[in-house]
Amino acid sequence: MQPFSHGTELIRGYGYGGMDRTTNEMEYTGLLEGLIWALRLEPKHVNICGDSKLVLRQVFEQSPVEDSKLATLHAKVTALMDEKPKDTIITYSHVSRDDNRMAEL
């Protein structure tokens, strides 16, 4: 088995619509799902790519989370990130919605 190359996409998380979910709830759900699977691989580096500036700011820049539903999802994401292996580095990149057409399928 060959090692993965730098920048290889291994995991893609999805937040499914319906059940009166907001776009940001779906963004958080996709982030949570992707992190759960990615961290099972015990990687050295995880780069989270997302098109929601709000979610990225809340998770990585400690912006306040005012919505109660988002606060619950935020707590799950940050708890998972806190439990990651010590040598795993998690970074993020903002992707414009135009460049993230896969998310709209």
Side-chain angles (χ1 to χ4, degrees):
M1 180 176 188
Q2 294 183 358
F4 297 108
S5 65
H6 178 74
T8 301
E9 181 180 324
L10 298 176
I11 305 294
R12 185 174 292 201
Y14 294 92
Y16 301 100
M19 300 177 1
D20 297 322
R21 285 187 176 174
T22 66
T23 301
N24 288 321
E25 287 174 283
M26 290 185 287
E27 294 279 351
Y28 263 109
T29 301
L31 173 56
L32 185 60
E33 179 183 314
L35 267 177
I36 287 169
W37 286 100
L39 293 177
R40 287 181 179 176
L41 297 172
E42 298 181 5
K44 297 290 183 198
H45 181 232
V46 174
N47 185 46
I48 295 168
C49 300
D51 61 19
S52 173
K53 289 181 183 178
L54 176 83
V55 171
L56 293 173
R57 276 195 302 258
Q58 289 175 342
V59 171
F60 291 98
E61 299 172 18
Q62 291 79 43
S63 292
V65 183
E66 297 174 4
D67 180 275
S68 62
K69 289 181 183 178
L70 294 185
T72 300
L73 293 166
H74 178 269
K76 290 179 181 180
V77 168
T78 54
L80 188 59
M81 289 173 62
D82 288 344
E83 295 171 5
K84 69 177 176 45
K86 188 177 3 177
D87 59 341
T88 298
I89 298 168
I90 298 178
T91 58
Y92 70 98
S93 301
H94 179 260
V95 179
S96 73
R97 291 195 192 265
D98 290 339
D99 292 334
N100 194 16
R101 294 190 192 281
M102 184 66 158
E104 305 305 322
L105 297 177

